[in-house]
Amino acid sequence: MTEKKAVLIMLGPTASGKESASFALAPRLDAEIVSVDSMKIYRGLDIGTAKASQEMREAVAHHCLDLVEPEFADFSVGMYVEAADTAISDIIARGKRPLLSGGTALYYKGLLEGIFDAPPRDLGLREELQTFAREQGNEALYQRLVVLDPVSAEKYHPNDLRRVIRALEVITLTGEPVSKSRRQWSGFHSGGGNFQGELRYNFKMLMLDWERELLYKRIGQRVDIMLEKGLLAEAEDVYKRRAQLARTPLQAVGYKEFFPYFAGQESLEVAVENLKKNTRHLAKSQCTWFRKFPCQRIPLTAELSKDDLLGIIFERMTSQ
């Protein structure tokens, strides 16, 4: 059997310092960084996503950044996994270590567990299902899913047409419910935080775990720094191009909070406070996900210096 490739993983919620720690440690680990972030794949969305600067990328190689234009609407987990697999293989082939860093839990799941082989979109079938929903109502379409795939139906709201239609599309094209297919990559055990099934990589996973109030303070400080770097202008560019951009970047924390300000509906101060609030909510959600992962948690306090933290991470990353 071929031995699985080994990767290092640096987890943490937004503003936890995982990217800066990864950047600082990469030379000591003889590593290159693989981004695991669903927003950093978009070109031109730099400040609002806290993307590594050009200077950082010249100092340490970064992968899986700027993969597509923000107009691209169909970027999938599978596309990310393909890009990350390629980067990891290339890094290892050159005798380096892959150091994964980012906050998108679904990308980690896809990369480590694998993804189900879903059929491509069928535009004709989608139009037929959308027409049925318009004429008969969302509930009537949802009831079709209840009959064909009750497991998936339990997870979706009748008005979540995008997911309901996709689930009906999959079962129509393959003859199997999407819930059955997705068992191939549902290995994270929500209770114990363990993996089930065959994993695609060997890995060592660490998580930066800040006290809640300290993390929220860091979030506020990071938003202020982003504004100093030009976040408002970047957000305004997204707002002006909103009719052309894909749905995902338009929903990203860091941009949408400014849309009411640009529309003259609220003050800049309110927009900034909403950004800080939504970033706190995002961090809380990420922490909930990551605490289910089989990772070594590193509790962080204000008393722990950066050098001491880097020493701890390096020791744990390199220990047997």
Side-chain angles (χ1 to χ4, degrees):
M1 293 179 63
T2 303
E3 185 177 353
K4 293 180 186 176
K5 298 181 178 69
V7 299
L8 304 172
I9 301 176
M10 186 78 262
L11 289 177
T14 186
S16 63
K18 59 187 176 295
E19 280 89 358
S20 61
S22 298
F23 175 76
L25 284 172
R28 292 174 61 183
L29 293 167
D30 198 22
E32 296 182 5
I33 296 172
V34 179
S35 172
V36 190
D37 191 300
S38 61
M39 295 310 305
K40 293 180 181 179
I41 64 167
Y42 295 109
R43 301 184 189 110
L45 304 188
D46 301 332
I47 301 171
T49 63
K51 196 180 294 178
S53 66
Q54 188 59 41
E55 291 76 17
M56 293 174 69
R57 297 190 222 184
E58 290 174 357
V60 173
H62 286 65
H63 304 266
C64 295
L65 299 174
D66 299 331
L67 297 178
V68 293
E69 297 295 336
E71 292 86 354
F72 187 76
D74 296 323
F75 194 87
S76 65
V77 178
M79 291 178 182
Y80 170 78
V81 170
E82 182 178 0
D85 281 342
T86 299
I88 290 168
S89 295
D90 179 59
I91 292 168
I92 292 174
R94 289 183 284 102
K96 302 279 188 178
R97 285 173 164 169
L99 175 54
L100 280 56
S101 180
T104 300
L106 195 58
Y107 280 8
Y108 284 112
K109 282 176 63 66
L111 188 61
L112 296 175
E113 293 184 332
I115 60 175
F116 69 96
D117 187 17
R121 295 186 304 165
D122 185 311
L123 297 181
L125 177 57
R126 287 194 173 193
E127 178 59 32
E128 177 184 327
L129 295 171
Q130 289 166 353
T131 299
F132 181 89
R134 285 194 300 269
E135 294 177 351
Q136 305 295 325
N138 294 353
E139 181 64 33
L141 184 67
Y142 176 75
Q143 288 305 317
R144 290 175 60 176
L145 183 62
V146 170
V147 173
L148 295 171
D149 187 359
V151 175
S152 293
E154 286 185 4
K155 300 177 182 179
Y156 305 147
H157 189 278
N159 291 332
D160 189 353
L161 278 181
R162 183 173 66 86
R163 288 186 172 87
V164 171
I165 287 175
R166 180 54 175 164
L168 287 169
E169 181 182 41
V170 169
I171 196 168
T172 301
L173 295 175
T174 68
E176 291 189 344
V178 67
S179 56
K180 180 178 179 180
S181 299
R182 281 179 175 157
R183 292 193 191 111
Q184 298 177 38
W185 65 303
S186 60
F188 284 102
H189 187 276
S190 59
N194 298 317
F195 288 97
Q196 298 174 348
E198 187 73 16
L199 299 178
R200 302 177 70 245
Y201 289 96
N202 290 324
F203 61 90
K204 185 167 291 186
M205 181 184 288
L206 273 62
M207 174 184 172
L208 301 182
D209 194 10
W210 284 94
E211 295 175 356
R212 180 70 58 83
E213 289 193 5
L214 288 175
L215 178 60
Y216 286 178
K217 181 179 179 181
R218 289 174 61 89
I219 286 171
Q221 292 171 339
R222 190 171 83 157
V223 168
D224 292 339
I225 292 172
M226 286 178 168
L227 288 167
E228 293 174 1
K229 290 182 175 180
L231 174 59
L232 194 61
E234 187 172 277
E236 186 173 16
D237 179 65
V238 171
Y239 177 74
K240 290 178 178 178
R241 295 193 292 149
R242 64 191 183 281
Q244 290 78 44
L245 300 189
R247 180 176 178 272
T248 300
L250 291 177
Q251 294 299 313
V253 174
Y255 300 107
K256 64 181 180 181
E257 291 79 10
F258 292 103
F259 291 180
Y261 166 68
F262 297 134
Q265 297 170 353
E266 65 183 26
S267 67
L268 179 58
E269 291 75 16
V270 170
V272 171
E273 185 51 43
N274 284 337
L275 173 54
K276 292 179 179 180
K277 178 186 68 176
N278 288 345
T279 306
R280 292 193 296 267
H281 291 165
L282 172 62
K284 183 178 179 181
S285 175
Q286 289 173 320
C287 287
T288 299
W289 264 102
F290 292 153
R291 284 174 181 146
K292 299 175 184 177
F293 286 13
C295 57
Q296 300 180 45
R297 292 168 56 184
I298 303 177
L300 301 179
T301 65
E303 290 73 31
L304 185 66
S305 70
K306 182 177 180 179
D307 287 343
D308 288 341
L309 170 60
L310 294 177
I312 292 170
I313 297 172
F314 180 79
E315 181 180 355
R316 294 195 185 184
M317 285 286 193
T318 56
S319 64
Q320 297 299 319

